[in-house]
Structures are given as C-alpha cells and as structure tokens.
Amino acid sequence: MALELLGGRALGPFFGTGIYVWGAIITLFMLSLSVGYLIGGSLSASRPSLEKLSVILLLAVLAALPCVLASNPILEFIFDRVPDPRYGALCASVALFFLPITVSGAVSPYAVRLLVDGLGTSGQVAGKVFFVSTFGSMLGTLLTSFYLVLLFELDQILWGMMAISFLIGMAGLVFHRERIKHAATA
C-alpha cells in the first residue's frame, strides 16, 4: 500500500492526481497482485523452502530498482508518447509497478504453503498470513501518508522500503543455511 501511495506521487507531476491516475494505479496493483498470487501458489507446489521464499523477496527488490533508478526517464518517455493522461497513467503504472508488485504478490501464497503443517491448519495459517499482510499494509499506509512523505523524498522512502525487504530476504537465506548446517551436524 505504501508503494501504491508513492506511485500516485510519482505519476502526479506527469499525469496529474485525478481519479484516472488513482484508477490506473489501483487497477494495476490489483491485477499485479492477482497474477503474483497465482505465481506464488504455483511455485509453492514444488518443494517449497525458506530459501526460495527469500529469493522471491530479493527478486521483488531487484524488480523495484527501476522505480527508483529510472522512474523519471520512464515517466517522461510515456508522457511524451501517450497524449491521453488516462492511458498515460495506466501505461506508466504498468511500466513502473507491474513486475515488482507481481513478484511481491507471490510472497503471501508461498509463505502460506511453507507454514501449513497439514490440511486442517491451512485456513488458520492463511488467515494469519493475510492478517499480518493486511495489518502491515495498513501501518505502511498510515506511516507513509502521515509521516514519511513529510520527512523524506520519494526515492528515499523507496530505498528504505527496498532495504527492509532486502534485509528480510537475506535474513531468510542466512537462517535457511544455518538450519541446514545444524541439521547436517546433528
């Protein structure tokens, strides 16, 4: 959700802040998350592991790099070539956010699969994962909209969000490798 809010700020100078911009962003995020959920569910069916989940999170960070490193050139390119701001905002949303949000969307269903011990616990696990995800989105929305945008530049917030995701992904890899070492020596 924080990235969705920041997307509005990024597109605003080029396409305005009207309902069509927010409609494009929200539509794109819903589509991307839906595709990501399908991909994450499919990936989780074949030997799921904490290592693979961590790699998915790190790929999401990598996919988000253009949002920070090249957003202005991408937005200028689209602005110059798509005269209708409605479709310009939609194209810009796709160009900047489709890949990182799709990859991020794969995390939740993959995490559910890793945490499910048996069929009888799947509903509880899914409920807890979606609770944490939605609660985190709510906190991220409030923190971003009430404080972060007042204190930091857009790119600084994005770098901070990416750094947190990177650290979580790396921690997952380290934990996975330590667990393997421990199992090998036991």
Side-chain angles (χ1 to χ4, degrees), residues 43-166:
L43 291 174
S44 74
S46 176
R47 291 180 292 191
S49 69
L50 178 59
E51 180 179 38
K52 289 178 185 175
L53 177 62
S54 298
V55 168
I56 292 170
L57 192 55
L58 293 172
L59 286 173
V61 171
L62 186 63
L65 281 174
C67 294
V68 178
L69 299 177
S71 64
N72 278 341
I74 291 169
L75 292 170
E76 287 173 7
F77 179 85
I78 294 169
F79 179 78
D80 290 341
R81 284 161 182 78
V82 182
D84 188 326
R86 295 173 299 170
Y87 300 112
L90 187 58
C91 290
S93 295
V94 170
L96 286 179
F97 304 119
F98 180 78
L99 190 57
I101 298 305
T102 299
V103 177
S104 295
V107 171
S108 289
Y110 200 97
V112 168
R113 175 60 184 95
L114 279 181
L115 295 169
V116 169
D117 292 333
L119 194 54
T121 63
S122 61
Q124 282 182 319
V125 169
K128 288 177 185 175
V129 168
F130 291 127
F131 168 79
V132 169
S133 174
T134 304
F135 192 79
S137 292
M138 182 267 310
L139 288 177
T141 299
L142 284 175
L143 185 64
T144 301
S145 61
F146 284 28
Y147 300 104
L148 295 179
V149 294
L150 302 174
L151 301 171
F152 301 103
E153 296 293 321
L154 179 69
D155 287 349
Q156 292 173 317
I157 300 168
L158 290 172
W159 279 117
M161 289 172 25
M162 290 168 56
I164 291 167
S165 293
F166 177 80

